[in-house]
Each structure stands twice: as structure tokens, then as C-alpha cells.
Amino acid sequence: MPATRGIRIGFSLPNGSYFTLHLPYVLSPLRLSVQFFVFLDNYKWNECIMRMDHFDLNLLVAFEALLQERSVTRAAKRLNVTQSAMSASLKRLRESFHDDLLVLHGKKMIPTQHALAIAPEVSDALIRLKGLIAMSTRFDPAVSRRLFFVNASDYITTVLLVPLVEVLQREAPGIRLNLSLPDMDSADKLEAGEVDLILTPEEFMDCDHPRELLFEERFVAVGARDNPLLDNELTREGFLAAGHVAVRIGNQDTFVEGVLNTLVPERRIEVCAQSFIQVPWLLRGTNRLSVMHERLAQTAAPVHELAIAELPFHVPNMREMMQYHVARTHDAGLSWLRERIIRFARQLAPQPGLSVPAG
């Protein structure tokens, strides 16, 4: 009878004895089954030390990189190791899992069925290990040099993160923020542990991870200060008579664009920008209008000589949220940053009075 494929795990017991258990892959350490715990029932679980013989957990990091890159060269570059070191890691992985894992086909490496089967469990294990390493009962912002990865639009960066950074600089001068723009893969990046926080409207959030409300945002009409349409109260007819600047991020409508496509499908879009920060520049010297977040409009108006007006129809408020991975719930450093963001966000009430006088 052929040997069952699996992995060997060594156990040291309090009485000094040692034994090796062969687990078939269905009982691998990434998915311990009831049968495994029944086997150990003769021993007290907290009286034995479990270790995986000759298995380096860093190999799981290499496995994930290899599977995602499908190339030893690219995986090595991604992890900042030599190609020979990555080749050695692949060899050790194949020996540990008794499977080729990745097979060269032409110039590409194709994952085996077994590699694809265990990939989600490896990714989940790595996320939880990263969370465990980052987790601490004590976080001292005054001395920490931690790097936080935050996924946020240029809008929320401008109205919230830019002023917040000044506060954080005083409280935690050593911490650093790596800011990235949202895209279609933002939720996947959070799931993979590549970002610590996502700041985005509620509609774009993953339902599997915790979320916290930052604030609700109104929308207003914005145009150049000398735009005649804004000399008086803006009407629906005036709104539709103007050309418009819209914003789409990648191939995805923003929250407000989705609403406007339903409320005023006849709106005439003359320019479609990829960023909210581009909008003021595209309004200056024209009779175009745009619909913008109230806080961002008030920030941009004095700099770009813009006028702000109430919309002639109702647009629901946008709920701006913050989301983090469930595995990071008890991460002391991330909890500190989340608390600072929430506290600062709730102080950012829009200024009373919308319009900027002409002239």
C-alpha cells in the first residue's frame, strides 16, 4: 500500500519522551481535525510542546510569494532575497509538502492542484501570524517607529489625514504612514494583510471585517467664483444646463457618481477626472459645475476661488467609514491609531455658511 502523503510533527512530553506523528494532509497543521485532538486526548494538551520538525515558518511567506508571482525571479525580488535562495525555499517547500507545488510550463510556473488547495489556508495563517507579532500589550507612541499602511482616497487624505498628520507628529514623532489610493483590489489587500486600514464609504466595505463610522458627509455644487449659474440659487434647470466634471476612480463610480447617475441621468459630463483633487483645476475659468464633498469643497474654495451652492435636489449623506482586519482587533498600535483617527474625524464639522462671495 503506498504511503499516505502528509507532514511529520514532533512532540516532546514532560516525561522527556519524544515521538513523531505523521499527519496526512487532510490533518495538516493548517487544518487540524477532530481526529488529531482525539489522538492527543491521552495527554494534557497544555503539558506537551508542539513543534513542526525542520519546518521554517518563513517558507510559508515564500510559498505565498511564489504562488502569487508564479516566478522564482519575481518572488525573490518581492521578498528582497537572491534567486538561488528562493529556489532553495521552493525545494524545501516541495520536500515538506511532498508535492511539486509549482511546475514549469514554458516560461511560466503553474501551481499544482494541491498548491491551490492550501493557498487560502496559508494566507490566513500568515495574516494571523502577522497580527500576533504586531500585537502587544503595550504600545508607546512616543518611541514607536511603526509603519502603518492606510488605503484612503485623495478626498479623505485632504480633509482628514493631512491635518491629522500634524497632530500625530507631536504625539508619535517616529511613526510613519504609507498612504495608497483605493482601487478594485483594496478589499483583497486588507484580506491579505497588505494594508492596516481602509478609509472609504460604507458601500465599498467588506462585510467580513469590523468597521467604524468616521463621519457623515454632505454633497454640494461647486463652480468657479465667476460662474453666472452660481450668482443666484442654483435650480435643477441651471444644474442640467451646465457641463459637468465627474470623478471615477479606475473603472468604478464614486459614491456620489452612483447617486447622480440615478437622480440626473441626463447630466452632461464634459470631463471625467480620476481624482477629486483634480476637480477645482478643471472648474477654474469655466462655467462647469461639479458635485463635491462639502468638507473638501470648503477646503478647496479659498485656494481655487470657487463658489459653493446647495444642490437643487436631495443627495443622501455619505457615511465615511474606517475598516481593519478582524485579526488585528487586539493590535495595540493599530487600536491607538484608530482611536486618534476617530477622535480627530469627529471634530471636523463643516464650517457654517456655504457660499463664497463673488468679486
Side-chain angles (χ1 to χ4, degrees):
M1 171 182 265
T4 305
R5 289 166 47 180
I7 194 166
R8 294 187 180 276
I9 301 177
F11 289 84
S12 298
L13 298 179
N15 62 10
S17 62
Y18 176 84
F19 65 91
T20 300
L21 174 65
H22 180 84
L23 287 179
Y25 280 132
V26 69
L27 305 178
S28 71
L30 299 176
R31 184 170 298 208
L32 294 168
S33 75
V34 173
Q35 299 173 49
F36 179 47
F37 287 101
V38 170
F39 175 85
L40 289 174
D41 194 47
N42 293 327
Y43 307 97
K44 293 182 179 179
W45 175 253
N46 61 0
E47 291 180 354
C48 66
I49 302 170
M50 174 182 175
R51 63 183 178 86
M52 292 183 287
D53 259 2
H54 310 300
F55 189 85
D56 180 357
L57 289 176
N58 287 313
L59 291 176
L60 297 182
V61 179
F63 172 84
E64 185 176 57
L66 284 163
L67 200 69
Q68 292 176 357
E69 298 294 343
R70 310 287 173 93
S71 162
V72 170
T73 302
R74 290 196 300 271
K77 184 176 181 180
R78 173 172 167 174
L79 297 184
N80 197 29
V81 299
T82 65
Q83 185 171 337
S84 60
M86 183 57 67
S87 295
S89 294
L90 178 56
K91 181 177 182 292
R92 293 171 63 193
L93 281 163
R94 285 167 169 166
E95 291 171 351
S96 296
F97 287 99
H98 300 282
D99 187 87
D100 287 337
L101 299 178
L102 289 151
V103 180
L104 190 63
H105 182 74
K107 294 184 178 180
K108 295 182 179 180
M109 299 196 78
I110 307 299
T112 66
Q113 184 59 41
H114 184 62
L116 293 173
I118 65 173
E121 296 184 43
V122 170
S123 294
D124 184 65
L126 287 173
I127 290 169
R128 295 187 180 279
L129 282 170
K130 289 175 185 176
L132 181 64
I133 293 168
M135 187 170 59
S136 170
T137 56
R138 183 175 181 272
F139 173 78
D140 187 350
V143 298
S144 175
R145 298 192 60 80
R146 182 166 171 180
L147 173 62
F148 293 98
F149 292 85
V150 180
N151 190 265
S153 71
D154 54 348
Y155 145 68
I156 198 67
T157 297
T158 302
V159 303
L160 173 62
L161 297 182
V162 168
L164 175 63
V165 164
E166 296 182 19
V167 176
L168 297 182
Q169 178 63 30
R170 295 192 295 270
E171 294 186 15
I175 71 163
R176 295 160 293 155
L177 298 181
N178 185 307
L179 305 180
S180 60
L181 291 171
D183 55 31
M184 298 295 288
D185 298 323
S186 292
D188 292 337
K189 291 174 182 175
L190 181 73
E191 184 66 36
E194 295 176 15
V195 297
D196 297 307
L197 295 172
I198 293 180
L199 310 184
T200 194
E202 188 171 32
E203 287 71 15
F204 302 123
M205 294 210 140
D206 190 318
C207 61
D208 293 331
H209 297 290
R211 64 185 71 185
E212 296 169 300
L213 176 67
L214 297 178
F215 51 71
E216 293 196 3
E217 182 69 276
R218 295 177 68 241
F219 289 92
V220 294
V222 180
R225 189 178 296 181
D226 57 0
N227 188 329
L229 288 170
L230 300 179
D231 287 343
N232 301 298
E233 180 180 348
L234 182 63
T235 64
R236 185 183 180 92
E237 291 72 21
F239 181 90
L240 293 175
H244 287 261
V245 178
V247 177
R248 301 189 82 227
I249 298 177
N251 293 319
Q252 186 176 26
D253 281 334
T254 60
F255 170 86
V256 71
E257 285 303 315
V259 172
L260 293 174
N261 288 340
T262 300
L263 292 178
V264 281
E266 65 271 41
R267 180 178 52 133
R268 179 164 50 88
I269 297 175
E270 291 185 349
V271 181
C272 189
Q274 286 283 312
S275 162
F276 293 109
I277 297 302
Q278 295 173 342
V279 172
W281 298 93
L282 297 168
L283 296 174
R284 295 178 66 171
T286 76
N287 289 335
R288 299 187 191 110
L289 297 177
S290 188
V291 177
M292 189 180 288
H293 318 79
E294 184 177 21
R295 287 174 176 82
L296 182 58
Q298 291 185 346
T299 300
V303 177
H304 294 279
E305 299 183 339
L306 303 179
I308 305 171
E310 291 280 4
L311 288 166
F313 43 79
H314 173 70
V315 171
N317 287 354
M318 179 185 75
R319 288 168 57 85
E320 187 71 16
M321 310 288 287
M322 174 170 62
Q323 187 164 51
Y324 55 95
H325 198 287
V326 65
R328 304 278 179 87
T329 300
H330 303 295
D331 181 330
L334 193 58
S335 296
W336 173 85
L337 181 60
R338 284 165 37 213
E339 187 276 332
R340 291 301 186 275
I341 291 175
I342 290 174
R343 186 173 66 181
F344 194 81
R346 293 177 183 172
Q347 298 172 358
L348 293 177
Q351 299 298 314
L354 282 174
S355 61
V356 176

